[in-house]
Amino acid sequence: MQTLIDQAATKTRAFAAVPVAAVQIAEPKGFYPKMKSKPGVKSGGKAPGKNADMKHMADCIRAIAESKDRKAFEDLFRFYAPRLKAVLIKNGAGLQEAEEVMQEAMVLVWRKAEQFDPGKASPSTWIYTIARNRRIDLIRREKRAPLDPEDPFFQNISAEPDGEQVYTETERAKIIREYLKILPEEQLLLVQKAFYEEMTHQAIAAELDMPLGTVKSRLRIAMRRLREQLSGADL
Amino acid sequence: MITHHLSEEFLVEYANGSLPTPEALVVGSHLGTCSECRDSVETFENISAVLMEDGDVEAVTPDALEAVLAMIDGPVEEEAAPLIEFDRATLEVIPPALRSYLGGSLSALAWKRTGRGIEEVGLVKQDDVRISLLRIRAGQKVPSHTHRGDEFTLVLSGGYTDGDAHFGKGDVSLADSDKDHAPVADSDGPCLCLTVRNGAAKLTGPIGRFLNPVLRG
């Protein structure tokens, strides 16, 4: 408990521009803050095999769950490991750190494979959230777990979305991908900073030398339109 | 039916993992009750996943796959210490995200009277952050007050009225400093709230918030 409190407080302060050394991570170069200097990211560039076959990825996860299929795991690893590592580095992790967190996340992919529900998440979203939760847990001991519909908390309220999702997970990913293509440059940049580089609004505002209110409102506009499309407003 | 949500930037930062722990606790607790905000967070995670899929790659170390396979064959890391056994009444009211902050079931906590008809249990008290549970007697008026910093209030059970607005289970409000408010608990039962105060945000507005960390060294 005390540790949690300490870190909660530390993180609140580390929100600042002061480079507080990363908490509880082997390499002292922290994920936060990412206000200014980024470690020299030598990005490997765009990957081959873009728009990977998500059905195959889902099959791989199921094969791990059902028969501990190592070949299936290798397929997942080849596609996701380099991408997760790239995201971690964008987020400010050092090379060593990114490698470690990526490896731990991939171990969790193996161990949690039985929990994967293709009706609820695409393979990429599922794996992304596993890696993100692992990172959050490492930097500030904050445990996040998927909601359990059987939990007594949901006795009188639903853990499920109100309505049926209009689109399947695959269709949702497609809509998002298409939407990002037509997004005005200025909004796309903010979307990338927020959802790919995982920056705070404040950090984005500082990096782009833009008023915080502008960052917030542009992102809000971009999200509103996307949500409309995902909710089938155009149907 | 949730009518009071947090503004979207909290959900964005919760989804991308950059929101500090106290605020993330408020969002996580709100999400327990609010399917609409859960849906937003899920959409944000979908965006991150698409960007990751189409994004850059960074070469992994040559033995990375072998290392991971070895870890898979190795011992499973022990889960954290066994969770506290909460009673049913507590489980129905305390969202999963908040449970690790409680030392026991609601009835077993050390409630302290902090005002007429008001009881409080402090969960976290560290530097500028105060996290508490507040129990307000049915119909009780909370004395008018302002805050030194931001204060998040999330209704866990019951409800209250503040000015023209009513707040029920799952509703969340963010009051920043100077905002004068005087909530009154609903008359049909006690109101249980989670409050998260962050005194650090003494200066408000974009410039104040940006300077604040610097001012505090």
Side-chain angles (χ1 to χ4, degrees):
Chain A
M1 193 63 204
Q2 195 59 31
T3 318
L4 178 72
I5 298 166
D6 289 344
Q7 298 198 2
T10 307
K11 269 327 288 178
T12 314
R13 265 180 288 115
F15 196 52
V18 190
V20 178
V23 191
Q24 306 279 344
I25 286 195
E27 201 180 347
K29 205 193 286 169
F31 289 104
Y32 291 90
K34 44 212 160 171
M35 296 286 278
K36 283 206 186 97
S37 61
K38 284 250 163 62
V41 178
K42 274 186 275 135
S43 157
K46 295 291 173 197
K50 220 176 120 173
N51 297 339
D53 180 356
M54 282 302 127
K55 191 183 167 300
H56 177 63
M57 295 298 163
D59 289 343
C60 286
I61 301 174
R62 197 169 46 231
I64 295 168
E66 285 169 4
S67 56
K68 305 272 172 223
D69 187 332
R70 286 180 181 241
K71 176 70 187 59
F73 183 74
E74 282 184 39
D75 281 9
L76 284 180
F77 188 91
R78 257 186 227 103
F79 184 74
Y80 286 110
R83 285 173 172 77
L84 288 179
K85 192 174 174 186
V87 168
L88 287 158
I89 289 170
K90 294 250 187 254
N91 193 256
L95 282 177
Q96 174 84 31
E97 223 171 36
E99 178 76 27
E100 282 173 21
V101 179
M102 174 278 288
Q103 290 191 9
E104 289 177 22
M106 290 308 296
V107 172
L108 290 174
V109 166
W110 174 276
R111 298 212 166 119
K112 289 175 186 280
E114 285 166 25
Q115 295 167 23
F116 174 67
D117 177 352
K120 277 194 178 153
S122 74
S124 294
T125 304
W126 185 70
I127 290 173
Y128 167 78
T129 55
I130 285 177
R132 179 206 59 195
N133 290 352
R134 184 65 192 148
R135 174 170 64 82
I136 294 172
D137 186 18
L138 283 171
I139 50 177
R140 47 176 195 251
R141 301 274 159 225
E142 192 183 307
K143 300 273 183 206
R144 283 196 199 172
L147 295 177
D148 171 13
E150 303 298 316
D151 189 290
F153 186 76
F154 301 109
Q155 166 180 257
N156 298 314
I157 45 173
S158 175
E160 307 295 332
D162 281 341
E164 284 286 296
Q165 276 203 350
V166 182
Y167 299 107
T168 64
E169 290 301 323
T170 319
E171 288 166 339
R172 281 171 69 92
K174 187 160 175 273
I175 291 169
I176 291 170
R177 190 169 274 119
E178 293 304 316
Y179 180 72
L180 295 178
K181 280 185 197 154
I182 57 150
L183 206 57
E185 191 79 24
E186 56 182 38
Q187 288 179 29
L188 181 63
L189 178 65
L190 295 182
V191 167
Q192 280 167 337
K193 296 277 173 204
F195 299 108
Y196 189 49
E197 298 184 32
E198 303 175 323
M199 293 165 73
T200 65
H201 291 74
Q202 208 164 6
I204 297 170
E207 190 183 293
L208 301 180
D209 197 18
M210 190 183 275
L212 184 58
T214 310
V215 174
K216 288 180 182 177
S217 60
R218 281 189 188 167
L219 271 172
R220 225 176 279 154
I221 291 165
M223 291 305 108
R224 189 190 308 145
R225 180 87 189 108
L226 174 60
R227 261 196 302 254
E228 281 168 12
Q229 297 200 6
L230 289 172
S231 67
D234 291 350
L235 294 182
Chain B
M1 179 67 190
I2 310 287
T3 49
H4 301 278
H5 309 268
L6 284 166
S7 58
E8 187 166 277
E9 48 268 25
F10 286 100
L11 301 182
V12 170
E13 293 183 0
Y14 179 85
N16 77 12
S18 69
L19 196 64
T21 303
E23 286 88 343
L25 171 66
V26 177
V27 174
S29 300
H30 175 67
L31 292 181
T33 324
C34 184
S35 62
E36 194 180 329
C37 288
R38 269 207 304 274
D39 197 48
S40 291
V41 168
E42 206 180 294
T43 298
F44 300 153
E45 290 168 348
N46 288 159
I47 298 171
S48 291
V50 165
L51 290 170
M52 172 189 74
E53 245 180 61
D54 297 351
D56 295 340
V57 290
E58 181 69 38
V60 301
T61 56
D63 62 348
L65 178 60
E66 278 171 50
V68 170
L69 289 172
M71 279 193 267
I72 284 165
D73 292 330
V76 178
E77 197 186 318
E78 281 300 310
E79 283 293 312
L83 295 168
I84 296 164
E85 289 275 333
F86 294 111
D87 60 28
R88 179 100 193 166
T90 302
L91 293 174
E92 286 176 9
V93 164
I94 302 296
L98 176 57
R99 289 181 193 157
S100 65
Y101 286 76
L102 267 63
S105 292
L106 285 170
S107 56
L109 297 176
W111 293 92
K112 284 202 192 90
R113 188 176 179 275
T114 54
R116 175 190 270 268
I118 303 169
E119 292 171 299
E120 183 172 356
V121 180
L123 303 177
V124 172
K125 195 176 204 178
Q126 181 93 29
D127 295 331
D128 293 319
V129 179
R130 299 277 184 282
I131 302 177
S132 307
L133 292 181
L134 219 59
R135 195 157 61 187
I136 309 162
R137 193 168 62 190
Q140 181 66 48
K141 184 170 187 287
V142 179
S144 170
H145 61 288
T146 56
H147 301 285
R148 204 175 128 250
D150 289 340
E151 183 184 65
F152 299 87
T153 306
L154 175 84
V155 179
L156 300 171
S157 69
Y160 70 88
T161 301
D162 192 0
D164 299 333
H166 182 261
F167 295 79
K169 184 180 170 86
D171 278 329
V172 60
S173 80
L174 167 56
D176 48 26
S177 50
D178 305 332
K179 199 184 221 174
D180 192 49
H181 64 160
V184 184
D186 290 354
S187 56
D188 58 357
C191 177
L192 182 71
C193 295
L194 165 70
T195 61
V196 175
R197 269 163 286 178
N198 193 342
K202 201 172 181 186
L203 302 174
T204 50
I207 294 172
R209 277 166 206 272
F210 182 68
L211 287 177
N212 222 19
V214 182
L215 292 178
R216 279 181 283 126

